[in-house]
Amino acid sequence: MTKMYKENSLSKNQQIIFDLIDKSPEPLKAYTILFYVQKKGIKAPPQVYRALDKLVEIGKIHKIESKNAFVACKNSNCEISKATAFSICERCEEVDEVSDTKLSKYLSKFNDKKGMTFKRFNLEFFGLCKRCKIK
Amino acid sequence: MTKMYKENSLSKNQQIIFDLIDKSPEPLKAYTILFYVQKKGIKAPPQVYRALDKLVEIGKIHKIESKNAFVACKNSNCEISKATAFSICERCEEVDEVSDTKLSKYLSKFNDKKGMTFKRFNLEFFGLCKRCKIK
DNA sequence: CTTTAAAATGTTATATTATTACATACTGTT
DNA sequence: AACAGTATGTAATAATATAACATTTTAAAG
Ligand SMILES: [Zn+2]
Ligand SMILES: [Zn+2]
Ligand SMILES: [Zn+2]
Ligand SMILES: [Zn+2]
């Protein structure tokens, strides 16, 4: 028989790394994470990258591709990272997850002219945040 | 007086690297480019990255962030890389620039709830291309 | 409780991607 | 010719990510 394994619970390293990212007000890079978790016994890059891979896979975090950095998912509705969108301030580097049902639906239904079937998308908007616009 | 410099023409290294990317049927990575252009006298990473930066800046090429690779712009209408969208096959890795005026307009007009003003976006769709769907 | 497959961990080394820093040369305007 | 801006050449290094392999933990199944 093929065994069924439990979902929903994180392993030790995954939990440590998720907690760190979840508490961070800004996206964290892999080696920044490594630096912070060394006191908890996570000493080498593969340990960090493995946890990150898993957390991305299960949708607890997302990767901001243009910054090689990771944020915790703040939406419950971007199921398993299939539909992600972020706003990125080019000045202060603030990153927020865009939570817009219409946008998400619009893009999830999008079909291109060449007959591709899309399973997933990632959208990154760049501009100036409210605060940086004023300055 | 502030000098006016010529636009529209590429420097030697920029032209060599643009030609290579433009002819390539697939996105090229920086070190792949470096390998190919060494016979033309471009020997070191900074030479490649500088040309890439410039070409991205003027909109002749785009960076596929999820692959750290570069493609030539096939649209004339994504002026200076302000509005880019790509379809990426997860199986054969084929990448195409999505050229859809409606999509582009929809996203260019998108305003988020936190008062950010967007200047630019990059969208990457993932899925299976026509050929890979059949298999 | 024992066996077992899957998942996770620990560790060393290495590969890949990108930038810093500094010296020099080219380009086109004044 | 002088100048400012742009581009180039080169060496060194930083930052990001993966390969490979040994070991341990987890929890379902028997
Ligand atoms: Zn999310
Ligand atoms: Zn800002
Ligand atoms: Zn384009
Ligand atoms: Zn394909």
Side-chain angles (χ1 to χ4, degrees):
Chain A
M1 274 290 113
T2 57
K3 293 186 179 178
M4 291 299 297
Y5 281 84
K6 81 172 169 189
E7 290 160 19
N8 256 331
S9 76
L10 300 179
S11 74
K12 183 172 122 282
N13 289 0
Q14 288 160 16
Q15 190 69 58
I16 290 167
I17 288 173
F18 175 72
D19 287 344
L20 181 68
I21 296 172
D22 194 39
K23 278 174 203 136
S24 172
E26 62 196 11
L28 293 177
K29 298 189 158 226
Y31 277 75
T32 306
I33 293 168
L34 178 57
F35 174 81
Y36 283 124
V37 298
Q38 277 183 332
K39 60 191 72 143
K40 305 231 175 187
I42 297 174
K43 291 173 189 154
Q47 296 174 289
V48 173
Y49 281 101
R50 281 191 294 230
L52 289 172
D53 286 350
K54 189 70 186 185
L55 291 167
V56 166
E57 188 191 320
I58 64 181
K60 301 280 286 179
I61 66 172
H62 303 304
K63 182 172 186 182
I64 311 297
E65 294 287 356
S66 61
K67 298 172 77 71
N68 300 314
F70 299 84
V71 291
C73 178
K74 303 298 186 190
N75 297 340
S76 50
N77 59 334
C78 62
E79 358 105 18
I80 322 189
S81 303
K82 296 265 180 293
T84 50
F86 302 94
S87 67
I88 302 167
C89 178
E90 284 177 317
R91 196 165 191 271
C92 71
E93 308 264 282
E94 186 180 80
V95 173
D96 270 306
E97 188 162 358
V98 173
S99 164
D100 187 300
T101 314
K102 271 190 194 169
L103 174 66
S104 180
K105 275 191 183 161
Y106 179 83
L107 292 175
S108 296
K109 284 179 186 162
F110 183 79
N111 283 301
D112 84 339
K113 291 152 187 163
K114 301 198 177 170
M116 263 191 82
T117 303
F118 298 129
K119 289 186 199 152
R120 177 166 79 80
F121 67 79
N122 179 56
L123 172 57
E124 298 181 9
F125 284 107
F126 302 87
L128 290 178
C129 74
K130 219 170 178 176
R131 259 168 294 129
C132 290
K133 255 195 293 189
I134 299 165
K135 288 168 193 167
Chain B
M1 275 291 111
T2 58
K3 292 184 182 180
M4 292 299 296
Y5 281 85
K6 80 175 169 187
E7 288 161 20
N8 258 330
S9 77
L10 300 178
S11 74
K12 184 171 121 281
N13 290 359
Q14 289 160 15
Q15 189 69 58
I16 289 167
I17 288 174
F18 174 71
D19 287 345
L20 181 68
I21 296 172
D22 193 39
K23 278 175 204 135
S24 173
E26 63 196 12
L28 293 178
K29 299 190 157 224
Y31 277 74
T32 306
I33 292 167
L34 178 57
F35 173 82
Y36 283 123
V37 299
Q38 278 183 332
K39 60 191 73 144
K40 304 231 177 189
I42 297 174
K43 290 174 190 156
Q47 296 174 290
V48 173
Y49 281 101
R50 282 191 294 230
L52 290 173
D53 286 350
K54 189 70 185 185
L55 291 167
V56 166
E57 187 191 320
I58 64 180
K60 300 281 285 180
I61 66 172
H62 303 305
K63 182 173 186 181
I64 311 296
E65 294 286 357
S66 62
K67 299 172 77 71
N68 299 315
F70 299 84
V71 292
C73 178
K74 303 297 184 191
N75 297 342
S76 50
N77 59 334
C78 62
E79 357 107 15
I80 321 192
S81 303
K82 296 266 180 290
T84 51
F86 302 93
S87 67
I88 302 167
C89 178
E90 285 177 318
R91 197 165 189 272
C92 72
E93 307 264 282
E94 186 180 82
V95 174
D96 270 307
E97 187 161 0
V98 174
S99 164
D100 186 299
T101 315
K102 272 189 193 169
L103 174 66
S104 180
K105 273 190 185 162
Y106 179 85
L107 293 175
S108 296
K109 283 177 186 163
F110 183 80
N111 283 300
D112 84 340
K113 290 153 186 164
K114 300 197 176 170
M116 261 190 85
T117 303
F118 298 131
K119 290 184 198 154
R120 178 165 79 82
F121 67 79
N122 179 56
L123 172 57
E124 298 180 10
F125 284 107
F126 302 86
L128 290 178
C129 74
K130 220 171 179 176
R131 260 168 294 130
C132 291
K133 255 195 294 189
I134 298 165
K135 289 172 195 166

